[in-house]
Amino acid sequence: MNGQNGGATKRARGCKASSVRRYAVAGTLALVGLWLCTGPVAAEDMRAALQKAKARYEAALAEARESQKRITEDRRLLEREVALLEGQVAALKADIDAGNARIEALARERAAFSERQSEDESALRELTGSMRVVARDLETTLAQSLLTALAPQRLDALKSMLDKDHFPGLDDAKIMSDLLFEEMAFSGEVALRKGSFIGRNGNETQGDILTIGKFTAAYRADAEVGFLNYSEENHRFFALSSLPPWSIGRNLKAYMQGDTDEVTLDISDGAALKQITHTNTLMDQIRSGGLLVWPILAIGVFAILIAVERVFFLKGVHDNTDGVMGRVNDLAMQGRWEECDAVVKQKKGRPVYDVLEAGLCARGEDRETLESILQEAILKELPRLERFLPMLNMMGAIAPLLGLLGTVTGMITTFHVITLYGTGDPRMLSGGISEALVTTMLGLSVAIPIMLTHTFLSRRVEHVVGDMEEKAVALTNIIYRQTVVAERRAVSCGVPN
């Protein structure tokens, strides 16, 4: 603005000077022209012309002065206007500076408020997050509590606090503190209440529910006493599928009736109680072994039948060897051969009787021939004594091989499951591992008794054969002695042979 006003003042002064110079030049040119045109004309005309030029010159001067006066007045007005404008400009500049200062102050104040707001929002978010974390932990604690099965509605009070759009307040904090104190009081409480649970038959059942803190829950309904398993998913009590052992059940019943102060607790958070229902019987283990279990069991059954038959058969042969052969030898020493033949014929077809029959029939032969006949008779009976023993030996060798085959098939099944589903769930691998281990266990369990039985029966056969050979030698000696005595008697009586 100051630059614009200065330029206008300079232009006004320039216009005034140029107007004065233009009027002076015009008057001079007019006098010179008049003098050149008239020259030597008459002096009167010159004077008249000079008067006119002078008049015009004065008129021009008067007009110039009037113009200068107007210009001066305009200049004065302009300068006053410029001064007024300069004052307004200064005032505006002062207003602008004050406004800028105000803006800067407001900006600083706004920054301070923004920083404070940010700090307040951070503290608020931290407080809200902490309360939600506490609410989440409390929900987990209550979900695992046995009391929730009796009062499942107390979880509803926490649902609004876990909502992200909900701002927790003091009322919510009070609710959480009340639930925590309630849970703490329940943790040290032993109570017997009426309630409902899912019975072992899968139906809703009413009965007495005993809760011992957060550790154990038991029930009594229709003279049945058992443990309860708490489900965190649906917040219900379920009766274990298996009843506890008799001694534990009696202890629970007496505790509920107030007859004793001692009770069985499960401090493993239900893991010990689950073992009651997950106890594998021998039949369960056999079922988990796969198809190869049944051939192994069949071998075991056949081996038992063979062993029983062989034990009784060899026992009979051994008893006959001691009794019958001893009796026959006594009769032979007395020379009562007819009675010996009668004893042997009573149970013909049995090993001992067949050997004795062969020896008695050959009593007229010499000693070497008689021994050979008896030895042949014993060897002839040996296959009957050793019958089924090679098969028993073979079963003892096949049983562990079948178990090893089950191990291989079980491991193949396990690797197949790993290929399809990975190793994330160990329970999916348990089928193949059970098959591998159960078949091996059963194979060895069957093979070891079979091998021991085979050894026992083989030794038993050897013992029976040894007794038969001993009795056969004794019979040979008796027959030979009787023959020598008879010959001596014939010689002493003069009777020729």
Side-chain angles (χ1 to χ4, degrees), residues 149-150 191-197 205-210 220-221:
L150 302 173
L192 185 64
R193 303 179 178 88
K194 292 285 185 182
S196 62
F197 57 91
T205 305
Q206 296 289 333
D208 297 328
I209 297 177
L210 172 67
R220 179 179 62 190

Side-chain angles (χ1 to χ4, degrees), residues 387-406:
R387 188 173 58 183
F388 300 133
L389 293 186
M391 182 181 295
L392 198 64
N393 188 23
M394 183 180 64
M395 289 180 178
I398 289 176
L401 293 178
L402 287 175
L404 181 61
L405 179 60

